[in-house]
Amino acid sequence: MYEGAIQDLIDELGRLPGVGPKSAQRIAFHILSAEQADVTRLATALRRVKEQVRFCRICFNVAEADECRICRDARRTDEVLCVVEEPKDVVAIERTGEFRGRYHVLGGAINPLEGVGPDNLRIRELMTRLSGGAVKELILATDPNTEGEATATYLALLVKPMGIAVTRLASGLPVGGDLEYADEITLGRAFEGRRALDV
C-alpha cells in the first residue's frame, strides 16, 4: 500500500477491465516516471473522450456527432443490417472490408446470470429500424458464445414474422471467442459463409 495520490491512481487503474493490482501498479509507476508532456496528452485524451464521444442516434456506434461516419456514408446499402454487441465489433468487421451495409449495436448480449435481459439492450430500437421496410437481410454477428447465441436466437424469433432474411456469421469463429480478437481473414471468411438461422 502506498499513500496519497499514487495509491489513488493505482486504485482507479485497478478498476479498469483486465487490469489487475500488479498491472495497475506497473502502469501507475510508468505514468509517474513519464515525461510531463506524455502524461498531459493522456489526461487530455481521457477528458476529450468523455466530453466529445457519444453514441450514434441511429446505430449506437461511437460517434463525435449525432450520427457516426458509417450512418452518414451514402455509399452503404440500407438493405443489409448487421447486429453486433459492442462498438468494438463494428471495428473488427470494418477491418475485413467485406461488409458495405449498416450496423446496429445492441450494447451487450442477453445474460440472465448478470441480470441482462432483452429490455437492457437496444432491441426496441432495432425493431423500430426494421419496421421501416428497407432492410432485406439481418446479419446476427453476436459473439459465438452462450450469451451471443442466446441473443441471436431471441432476435431471430422476434424478426421471423417480419419476413426479413436472418443470417448468422458462419465458419472460422471459435466458439467462446470474441469478434474483436478475430483476424481479418477469419472474420472475412465468416462473413462470406454466413448461413440462415432456422428457428
Side-chain angles (χ1 to χ4, degrees), residues 5 14 21 59 67 71 77 80 89 100 125 127 151 164 185 193 196:
C59 74
E67 295 178 10
C71 286
T77 180
V80 184
D89 300 327
R100 298 301 304 155
E125 294 86 346
M127 298 308 289
T151 305
I164 297 169
I185 294 169

Side-chain angles (χ1 to χ4, degrees), residues 119-137:
D119 291 339
N120 302 111
L121 305 175
R122 296 185 189 104
I123 294 174
R124 192 175 307 109
E125 294 86 346
L126 171 64
M127 298 308 289
T128 300
R129 287 181 77 183
L130 294 176
S131 67
V135 178
K136 306 291 183 234
E137 179 185 2

Side-chain angles (χ1 to χ4, degrees), residues 94-183:
E94 284 297 292
R95 281 195 319 252
T96 70
E98 295 285 330
F99 183 65
R100 298 301 304 155
R102 306 283 182 180
Y103 291 94
H104 187 85
V105 181
L106 292 173
I110 295 172
N111 187 345
L113 296 177
E114 297 289 325
V116 180
D119 291 339
N120 302 111
L121 305 175
R122 296 185 189 104
I123 294 174
R124 192 175 307 109
E125 294 86 346
L126 171 64
M127 298 308 289
T128 300
R129 287 181 77 183
L130 294 176
S131 67
V135 178
K136 306 291 183 234
E137 179 185 2
L138 185 70
I139 301 172
L140 300 176
T142 53
D143 289 338
N145 56 25
T146 306
E147 295 81 9
E149 292 294 332
T151 305
T153 301
Y154 178 84
L155 291 175
L157 289 169
L158 209 57
V159 172
K160 188 175 185 177
M162 301 176 87
I164 297 169
V166 179
T167 59
R168 182 96 169 99
L169 293 187
S171 64
L173 295 175
V175 173
D178 290 332
L179 284 177
E180 70 176 305
Y181 299 117
D183 64 286

Side-chain angles (χ1 to χ4, degrees), residues 1 3 9 17 34-35 41 54 57 64-66 80 85 89 93 95 97 113 130-131 155 158:
M1 292 287 288
E3 60 183 56
L9 179 58
E35 296 289 327
R41 263 195 319 276
R54 63 194 85 156
R57 69 177 181 82
E64 289 191 15
D66 281 344
V80 184
E85 293 178 20
D89 300 327
I93 293 169
R95 281 195 319 252
L113 296 177
L130 294 176
S131 67
L155 291 175
L158 209 57

